[in-house]
Amino acid sequence: MPDHKLSSIQANIDNFEGLYSTTSILLEGHLHTHTIQTRLTPRLASLVPVTQIVLDRAFANELPAKKDSYIDIPAFHLVLRLVSAISARHFVGHPMCEDEEWLSTALKYTENAFRTIIFLRIFPDWAKPVVSLFIPYSWKVSSALRKAQRLIVPIIIQRRKEAATFLLTKDSSYRKPDDFLQWMMDEANERDGLPHKLAHRLLILTLASVHTTSMAATQTLFDLCAKPEYIAPLREEITKAVQKDDGFTKQTLTHLRKLDSFMRESQRLNPPSLLGFKRCVREPLTLSDGTFLPKNTHLMMPVYPIVTDAANVPNPMRFDGFRHYNNRLQPGESNRHQFATTSDQNLHFGHGKFSCPGRFFAANTIKMVISNLLLRYDFHLEGSATGSVERPENVRLHEYVFPNPETKVSFRLRQV
């Protein structure tokens, strides 16, 4: 159904307590979605080598392991920092992508926005305006937004000055920035293009891209630790692909079919949410079976039971990292069963017209992070070197599923 009848964005913003997480600005227009679809996704190939450069620097700073001993690091925090570095490079470019104040502001905003959402949900709508005044998470969300605007607005103003000067002087040394902020600036209308609104959208998109991508990458890392028998074949696949393409390219990532399968299997059993396909009824609807849905009705479906139903997935509760790889080997199935592919039996990214527009960028980011971890390090769950350690239990809050943020993974440089 069209968005004016059944709205995905309205449902997700309401679900995210938009007024208090400040995500309600996304209701003002589709600039973010349009920019992802028309600017980000078509450029994915050119982003891969840049991502590798970012990771080379980030690993040196975030994971200074040695060959002769292991170091223990909270896995989710590590992955969050790596993904943040990648997103910052593509979202705001140099030099802001290396600014620790921007990185920490974006992470704090994300962390406190989720805490605000989880906390406010236990209260009725009429109480939320009052309750939000007394919870520190809500204050910190607003504080992070103000700081982000203080950091980003001057960049927008400066870029517009430089562009205007170029139009007058035709200075051959001028190079238009090539990042998501600039793409939004180029695509925005007069209202969406206000500097404080652009900075606001940028911060929210950082929340959307960094946190969900980091959760999926961490879940994949935990499954690798719990199923170490997959490490060798995945390393072999990655090594061959990188050698063939003389480094990481977009084509390299398409060759990583086994890794793609492992990621999808990890997400199947450890999704970011047990519920999905959220919609808000914008005008009264009567369905074909006579069911009447009043305006402002919210509906969603349980997506986790679909991917754990034996009618859809054989032996559904068994982790089979190459399940989807083997499915793609069947005649006519080579382009299906991919991590970023949606279907009526795989709804973690939604499905159809309103499926997640950033899922291809997320898939590439996860492949880059996990590939680099496999090529650079030996790793295992903390304590598993001396005995069996179970995969860490997920943290579940409402319908959300988070990787345990306290779980540490032991790393050392590979003995190659």
Side-chain angles (χ1 to χ4, degrees):
M1 287 189 175
D3 194 54
H4 70 272
K5 290 185 177 182
L6 204 60
S7 174
S8 170
I9 185 67
Q10 179 72 58
N12 280 288
I13 296 305
D14 290 348
N15 196 50
F16 263 68
E17 302 291 349
L19 182 62
Y20 310 102
S21 65
T22 78
T23 55
S24 56
I25 188 177
L26 299 185
L27 293 172
E28 295 182 9
H30 299 291
L31 174 62
H32 58 291
T33 303
H34 179 72
T35 306
I36 291 171
Q37 293 172 333
T38 63
R39 296 295 194 100
L40 178 65
T41 301
R43 285 174 167 81
L44 288 179
S46 66
L47 300 185
V48 173
V50 178
T51 298
Q52 185 57 44
I53 293 172
V54 172
L55 284 174
D56 287 340
R57 181 178 183 276
F59 275 111
N61 294 331
E62 305 296 340
L63 191 48
K66 299 179 180 179
K67 287 187 176 181
D68 56 355
S69 61
Y70 282 93
I71 60 172
D72 302 328
I73 295 181
F76 183 59
H77 175 76
L78 169 65
V79 173
L80 202 57
R81 293 283 300 182
L82 296 172
V83 173
S84 293
I86 295 169
S87 294
R89 174 61 184 84
H90 299 313
F91 280 27
V92 296
H94 282 296
M96 185 56 68
C97 66
E98 297 179 2
D99 188 307
E100 187 59 38
E101 189 174 14
W102 165 253
L103 292 172
S104 63
T105 297
L107 287 176
K108 287 177 182 176
Y109 170 81
T110 299
E111 178 182 327
N112 286 295
F114 269 99
R115 288 176 172 174
T116 300
I117 294 163
I118 296 298
F119 189 80
L120 285 179
R121 275 184 167 195
I122 65 177
F123 295 94
D125 287 347
W126 61 265
K128 289 175 184 177
V130 176
V131 174
S132 67
L133 298 174
F134 295 94
I135 57 173
Y137 310 136
S138 181
W139 310 339
K140 291 177 181 179
V141 166
S142 300
S143 175
L145 174 58
R146 290 193 297 271
K147 184 176 289 187
Q149 290 171 329
R150 177 175 61 80
L151 293 169
I152 300 300
V153 166
I155 295 175
I156 297 170
I157 294 173
Q158 180 63 27
R159 288 186 179 188
R160 285 178 172 165
K161 285 181 179 179
E162 292 174 355
T165 300
F166 169 71
L167 290 175
L168 292 173
T169 65
K170 303 299 180 182
D171 183 357
S172 61
S173 65
Y174 172 74
R175 295 290 183 272
K176 178 184 279 192
D178 191 25
D179 53 46
F180 198 86
L181 175 59
Q182 185 64 48
W183 303 335
M184 283 203 300
M185 291 170 61
D186 294 343
E187 296 288 338
N189 58 32
E190 186 176 351
R191 182 191 63 180
D192 290 337
L194 294 171
H196 71 282
K197 288 184 178 289
L198 286 169
H200 193 166
R201 283 182 182 271
L202 189 70
L203 185 65
I204 292 171
L205 289 170
T206 299
L207 175 153
S209 67
V210 170
H211 208 76
T212 52
T213 302
S214 297
M215 289 196 295
T218 304
Q219 298 286 22
T220 301
L221 177 58
F222 285 166
D223 282 317
L224 282 170
C225 291
K227 306 287 184 181
E229 63 272 20
Y230 286 96
I231 290 178
L234 289 175
R235 274 185 181 149
E236 181 182 9
E237 178 185 64
I238 297 164
T239 300
K240 286 182 178 179
V242 171
Q243 289 175 345
K244 179 180 179 181
D245 297 324
D246 193 25
F248 278 97
T249 68
K250 177 64 168 64
Q251 191 62 32
T252 310
L253 301 186
T254 65
H255 294 152
L256 305 183
R257 292 191 166 199
K258 291 180 180 178
L259 177 58
D260 187 273
S261 173
F262 193 94
M263 288 161 47
R264 176 160 169 158
E265 184 73 349
S266 179
Q267 187 191 59
R268 184 179 73 84
L269 294 172
N270 305 280
S273 175
L274 303 177
L275 302 173
F277 229 77
K278 302 175 180 70
R279 297 290 187 269
C280 177
V281 179
R282 303 294 293 273
E283 59 183 52
L285 293 175
T286 300
L287 304 183
S288 59
D289 66 351
T291 301
F292 176 71
L293 300 175
K295 182 179 179 179
N296 293 328
T297 298
H298 278 248
L299 51 108
M300 59 184 71
M301 66 174 70
V303 296
Y304 178 70
I306 293 174
V307 295
T308 54
D309 186 339
N312 299 323
V313 180
N315 201 354
M317 300 315 295
R318 181 175 69 89
F319 185 97
D320 180 356
F322 295 157
R323 180 192 302 273
H324 313 288
Y325 170 78
N326 291 326
N327 287 338
R328 292 178 68 185
L329 295 178
Q330 303 304 311
E333 299 290 303
S334 62
N335 293 321
R336 300 180 63 191
H337 313 286
Q338 298 179 63
F339 179 76
T341 303
T342 68
S343 71
D344 56 3
Q345 295 181 7
N346 183 47
L347 296 165
H348 294 313
F349 288 118
H351 188 41
K353 181 179 179 181
F354 299 106
S355 53
C356 173
R359 65 190 186 278
F360 304 104
F361 177 64
N364 283 4
T365 299
I366 297 167
K367 285 180 182 177
M368 293 291 290
V369 169
I370 297 300
S371 294
N372 274 271
L373 284 172
L374 283 165
L375 293 180
R376 294 168 185 258
Y377 302 97
D378 292 317
F379 52 81
H380 55 75
L381 290 172
E382 182 186 28
S384 63
T386 57
S388 177
V389 174
E390 293 292 323
R391 187 195 194 282
E393 290 288 332
N394 292 321
V395 177
R396 299 190 179 189
L397 297 170
H398 303 292
E399 78 269 28
Y400 299 117
V401 181
F402 301 94
N404 192 314
E406 305 300 324
T407 298
K408 292 183 178 181
V409 171
S410 303
F411 294 93
R412 74 175 180 189
L413 288 177
R414 281 185 67 199
Q415 307 282 353
V416 183

